[in-house]
């Protein structure tokens, strides 16, 4: 009999979950509504803590961005951003608000996790990361996925928290070496990760590879990690991610020993996703040639996105006084350097264009940077074209259950 995803379960002790995890897409693209649907259906959904003070302003009528801008607006024309610091109280409050309200609304047997990116350095990497992790646990999140970085010090930051050994804590890696480094560094906390997400080269957004990403294969990396954990007698669930487009793709990984799969691309066109409706249509319409991996992110990581993203080439003034989430420990961001270079070279231009880097914070906040997975061009095959030429947006439940029950690479179209 042909197996399907529903024949497997992700097990933690006595707890059993449908082995489907929706990945954490920031900034509020993985909405609370999307994560809550995954939990209701018995799986795991992520919310993202990317730019939570900004998300909080939009969702809960706080004024964190306005207050930060008022405090630092004197510095807008200064290329030195080292003075711009986040109010840690605001970071804590926004984290508590978003997670608290999400967890209050949770129904069903599944779980809601937080995706926490180390590369959101916020001009004070250690201080801001500790607040984000600590407050997430305090607000009752079921688990935290440590993303976008090695997180070598993250466990130590929260080992004194009362929920340190209760909440599910996991790490995203793109190689066996990265996992080994994490395990070695965190051995003294006497706390293994509860899961490992293995993110391959076909994932959306920032990649854990260089521009040679195409030389790597998710199945190979997953197998290496499974073999290593078995040899070391470490019972840590492995969850592959990136390019798992059908229920059959997922089942193939479960049959090789994965505990669950993480999926996201197909949920970008769910009604519960935070992407604006017009942007979702851009994802549906995209062809394979419309997708590229480039180096415009100021983080230094390659990033996969749609070529027609309005952010590419946009020369907007750096928004660090309002946002500044990727400022490093010295208040530096490579977009600032690129922007200032173009201003110097075109002193009389009314509109500046910057192609080598982009203002990640402002454009992600405004949904102008259309990051996507490799198989985004297949989304049109998951829906129906309507009379007006647009594609039908799907429900998260429809996509989730298609993964859960489909076989033979079939994709069930909506009614």
């Amino acid at each position: 009999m042909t197996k399907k995803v529903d024949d497997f379960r992700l097990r933690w002790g006595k707890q059993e979950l449908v082995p489907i995890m929706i990945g954490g897409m920031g900034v509020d693209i993985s909405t609370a509504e999307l994560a809550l649907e995954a939990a209701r259906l018995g799986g795991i959904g992520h919310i993202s803590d990317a730019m939570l003070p900004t998300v909080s302003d939009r969702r809960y009528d706080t004024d964190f961005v306005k207050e930060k801008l008022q405090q630092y607006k004197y510095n807008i024309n200064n290329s030195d951003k080292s003075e711009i610091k986040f109010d840690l109280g605001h970071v804590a409050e926004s984290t508590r608000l978003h997670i608290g309200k999400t967890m209050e609304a949770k129904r069903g047997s599944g779980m809601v996790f937080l995706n926490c990116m180390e590369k959101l350095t916020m001009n004070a990497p250690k201080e801001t990361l500790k607040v984000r992790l600590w407050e997430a646990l305090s607000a009752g999140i079921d688990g935290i996925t440590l993303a976008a970085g090695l997180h070598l010090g993250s466990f130590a930051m929260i080992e004194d928290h009362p929920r340190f050994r209760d909440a599910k804590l996991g790490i995203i890696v793109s190689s066996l070496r990265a996992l080994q480094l994490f395990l070695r560094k965190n051995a003294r906390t006497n706390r293994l990760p509860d899961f490992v997400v293995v993110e391959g080269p076909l994932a959306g957004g920032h990649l854990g590879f260089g521009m040679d990403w195409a030389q790597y294969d998710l199945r190979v990396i997953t197998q290496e990690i499974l073999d290593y954990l078995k040899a070391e007698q470490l019972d840590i669930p492995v969850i592959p991610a990136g390019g798992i487009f059908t229920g059959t793709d997922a089942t193939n990984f479960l049959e090789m020993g994965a505990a669950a799969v993480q999926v996201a691309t197909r949920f970008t066109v769910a009604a519960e996703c935070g992407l604006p409706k017009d942007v979702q249509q851009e994802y549906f319409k995209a062809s394979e040639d419309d997708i590229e991996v480039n180096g415009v992110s100021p983080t230094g990581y390659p990033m996969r996105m749609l070529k027609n993203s309005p952010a590419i080439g946009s020369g907007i003034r750096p928004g660090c006084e309002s946002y500044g989430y990727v400022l490093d420990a010295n208040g530096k961001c490579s977009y600032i350097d690129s922007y200032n270079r173009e201003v110097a070279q075109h002193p009389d231009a009314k509109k500046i264009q910057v192609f080598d880097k982009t203002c990640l914070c402002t454009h992600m906040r405004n949904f102008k940077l259309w990051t996507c997975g490799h198989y985004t061009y297949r989304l049109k095959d998951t829906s129906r074209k309507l009379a007006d030429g647009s594609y039908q947006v799907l429900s998260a439940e429809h996509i989730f259950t298609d993964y859960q029950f489909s076989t033979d690479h079939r994709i069930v179209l909506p009614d």
Side-chain angles (χ1 to χ4, degrees):
M1 191 177 85
T2 303
K3 287 203 169 186
K4 54 187 178 297
V5 169
D6 194 56
D7 294 323
F8 300 83
R9 285 296 179 266
L10 169 60
R11 293 182 174 87
W12 278 305
K14 293 181 180 178
Q15 188 169 22
E16 291 191 358
L17 297 107
V18 177
I20 298 171
M21 177 186 279
I22 301 180
M25 301 174 281
V27 173
D28 207 25
I29 295 171
S30 282
T31 58
E33 293 76 14
L34 183 56
L36 289 167
E37 273 296 271
R40 182 182 69 81
L41 295 164
I44 300 171
H46 274 94
I47 52 177
S48 170
D49 83 336
M51 298 178 67
L52 268 192
T54 306
V55 173
S56 175
D57 286 356
R58 184 177 275 157
R59 279 182 167 257
Y60 312 117
D61 296 322
T62 50
D63 288 312
F64 299 133
V65 172
K66 185 178 177 181
E67 289 179 32
K68 186 168 181 275
L69 177 59
Q70 286 176 340
Q71 183 178 355
Y72 294 112
K73 63 182 177 182
Y74 69 86
N75 197 68
I76 282 177
N77 294 317
N78 188 356
S79 59
D80 181 0
K81 307 296 184 185
S82 58
E83 290 184 23
I84 300 170
K85 301 289 184 182
F86 279 84
D87 182 314
L88 294 181
H90 289 174
V91 175
E93 187 181 345
S94 61
T95 304
R96 286 195 302 269
L97 259 175
H98 193 43
I99 292 173
K101 288 187 178 295
T102 302
M103 299 310 290
E104 284 172 16
K106 198 183 102 172
R107 303 288 181 270
S109 60
M111 304 177 86
V112 174
F113 285 4
L114 181 76
N115 181 279
C116 184
M117 297 170 62
E118 189 180 47
K119 282 296 178 186
L120 285 177
T121 40
M122 300 171 72
N123 206 354
K126 291 180 180 177
E127 296 83 353
T128 53
L129 182 59
K130 180 171 183 175
V131 168
R132 288 154 57 202
L133 291 168
W134 192 274
E135 295 300 331
L137 292 175
S138 297
I141 198 75
D142 288 324
I144 299 175
T145 301
L146 303 172
L150 285 174
H151 285 275
L152 299 182
S154 294
F155 270 18
M157 287 179 176
I158 50 174
E159 62 180 327
D160 295 330
H161 195 284
R163 295 192 64 227
F164 177 60
R165 298 186 186 279
D166 299 333
K168 301 302 178 192
L169 303 177
I171 176 86
I172 294 181
V173 299
S174 292
S175 68
L176 172 57
R177 180 175 174 273
L179 176 60
Q180 290 169 327
L181 279 170
F182 178 81
L183 293 175
R184 196 176 308 132
K185 184 70 175 178
N186 290 283
R188 69 162 195 79
T189 65
N190 197 29
R191 167 73 158 91
L192 288 171
D194 295 293
F195 60 97
V196 176
V197 175
V198 182
E199 193 170 82
L202 303 185
H206 287 106
L207 302 180
F209 302 88
M211 292 304 287
D212 61 346
W213 59 270
Q215 297 177 23
Y216 297 88
D217 181 85
L218 176 60
R219 288 186 68 86
V220 172
I221 303 166
T222 300
Q223 192 63 60
E224 285 176 355
I225 289 176
L226 287 169
D227 292 345
Y228 169 78
L229 293 175
K230 185 177 180 181
E232 296 294 318
Q233 296 183 309
L234 297 174
D235 185 18
I236 304 173
V238 172
I239 303 174
I244 301 171
F245 199 78
T246 67
T248 305
D249 293 334
T251 303
N252 289 341
F253 278 104
L254 295 170
E255 287 187 310
M256 69 185 276
V261 294
Q262 179 171 287
V263 290
T265 294
R266 285 183 61 186
F267 289 93
T268 59
V269 291
E272 294 85 352
C273 175
L275 283 177
K277 300 305 178 192
D278 60 332
V279 179
Q280 287 181 316
Q281 292 303 317
E282 296 293 335
Y283 280 56
F284 273 126
K285 290 188 296 187
S287 68
E288 189 170 2
D289 290 338
D290 292 329
I291 299 164
E292 69 178 16
V293 176
N294 59 39
V296 301
S297 171
T299 64
Y301 280 73
M303 207 172 187
R304 179 174 279 113
M305 64 187 68
L306 295 184
K307 284 180 184 177
N308 60 333
S309 297
I312 299 176
S314 169
I316 58 169
R317 186 170 61 191
C320 307
E321 285 70 28
S322 299
Y323 310 120
Y325 291 88
V326 293
L327 291 174
D328 68 16
N330 301 308
K332 303 285 187 185
C333 170
S334 59
Y335 176 71
I336 300 170
D337 298 333
S338 294
Y339 174 80
N340 289 336
R341 179 198 67 222
E342 294 301 321
V343 170
Q345 290 177 1
H346 306 91
D348 300 321
K350 290 182 179 178
K351 188 176 181 182
I352 300 294
Q353 287 194 295
V354 182
F355 284 98
D356 58 319
K357 296 296 172 188
T358 193
C359 187
L360 201 60
C361 299
T362 304
H363 288 309
M364 290 300 290
R365 185 252 179 217
N366 293 330
F367 301 108
K368 300 295 186 185
L369 189 66
W370 300 339
T371 60
C372 65
H374 176 78
Y375 287 124
T376 294
Y377 65 90
R378 294 173 62 185
L379 288 174
K380 60 178 67 67
D381 300 327
T382 70
S383 184
R384 296 184 188 276
K385 203 167 190 178
L386 304 175
D388 65 359
S390 68
Y391 288 87
Q392 182 177 340
V393 172
L394 311 168
S395 72
E397 181 175 9
H398 172 87
I399 302 164
F400 190 98
T401 54
D402 187 46
Y403 269 114
Q404 187 175 356
F405 295 108
S406 70
T407 57
D408 299 321
H409 289 290
R410 282 195 296 269
I411 291 173
V412 176
L413 298 179
D415 294 332

